[in-house]
Amino acid sequence: MYKVVVSDLDGTLLNGAHQISARTRDTLHRLVQQGVKFVMATGRHYVDVRHIRDTLGLDIDLITSNGAVVHDPSNRLVFNQTIADETARELVTLARDPAIHLNVYYGEEWLVEEEMPWLLQFHSESGFTYRKVEFATHPMDKINKVFYIGDHQKLLTIEQQLKARYQDSLNITFSLPDCLEVMHGEVNKGSAVRAVLAKNGLALEQAIAFGDGMNDFEMLSMVGHGVVMGNAHDRLLQALPDHQRTLTSDEDGVAHYLERCFAL
């Protein structure tokens, strides 16, 4: 039996309303009561996810910014990997297409250059919001993640440009078809999960993980049992064709799978 469950948030643990359903909440509490460790691993910012964890009411480790930042259950920062200043400066000057929306996770903040009120729906529960700045004059010393939001085809072009220029020095991945995310090359959810488990005397083989996007690829590939959501993106389905699947996030796919796996 697995001793650890790791879950992505958007498109996985959270439903289409960006909330944890009552069924999923109850299932997770019963899981933890059985002595199984639960970990959240997401591309979201720590400040945002901390509220989700507090609302859930469980003392759990948080892997955020796709593994660039890790906090323990007492909110102590245990890992923080930033992008080099010069590289970060290049990244924020790359996408000048007005149809591509640039976002930066800088320390405790979410920074943008233009108002994007439609994007705040993803953070309605926590109230986490962005601050508008001028990237040309803003410091680039503590950026954990740069992400571009826009048309998928245009993002594919940016992805190709970035991979050609930076190769393995950056981790460049899609969390959603319209969201391309960039972190330090050594950052991914799988490596972060391995570090969190090692801190607790556990191995990757003892973990089961759930995800729906390419930013979950390493995590799902490295754990003992990776489960792909029914609403997963095509690229992930093609990359992991032999992995087991569960229902969609709107159908409480994580809860459904856990209830069967752990006889909850």
Side-chain angles (χ1 to χ4, degrees), residues 75-117:
N75 294 324
R76 183 174 67 93
L77 178 65
V78 296
F79 181 76
N80 182 29
Q81 178 66 69
T82 59
I83 299 171
D85 300 22
E86 181 179 344
T87 302
R89 181 69 65 190
E90 293 174 353
L91 292 173
V92 300
T93 59
L94 174 69
R96 296 292 85 186
D97 187 327
I100 300 298
H101 306 286
L102 178 63
N103 298 257
V104 167
Y105 283 171
Y106 178 82
E108 294 282 293
E109 295 187 287
W110 168 20
L111 306 179
V112 301
E113 276 195 318
E114 58 183 318
E115 296 290 343
M116 294 182 289

Side-chain angles (χ1 to χ4, degrees), residues 125-227:
E125 288 287 301
S126 68
F128 184 53
T129 189
Y130 53 70
R131 181 166 69 90
K132 186 178 175 182
V133 301
E134 293 291 337
F135 285 127
T137 57
H138 196 280
M140 296 284 126
D141 57 323
K142 49 183 180 180
I143 291 180
N144 294 114
K145 186 176 82 168
V146 174
F147 56 110
Y148 310 94
I149 296 176
D151 176 74
H152 183 63
Q153 292 303 315
K154 291 185 176 181
L155 293 181
L156 286 174
T157 299
I158 294 175
E159 178 191 31
Q160 293 172 356
Q161 293 172 346
L162 292 179
K163 288 188 173 182
R165 178 175 177 82
Y166 298 103
Q167 301 181 8
D168 293 336
S169 65
L170 291 176
N171 179 2
I172 303 157
T173 187
F174 279 93
S175 59
L176 295 167
D178 62 355
C179 186
L180 180 65
E181 311 201 345
V182 183
M183 292 71 58
H184 186 282
E186 297 176 0
V187 165
N188 63 72
K189 292 184 183 182
S191 296
V193 169
R194 179 170 53 199
V196 168
L197 298 192
K199 178 174 65 74
N200 289 274
L202 297 167
L204 283 167
E205 293 74 19
Q206 296 173 289
I208 178 173
F210 298 85
D212 74 306
M214 281 305 294
N215 60 332
D216 299 312
F217 173 78
E218 292 89 353
M219 176 177 74
L220 296 176
S221 302
M222 293 167 64
V223 296
H225 188 60
V227 182

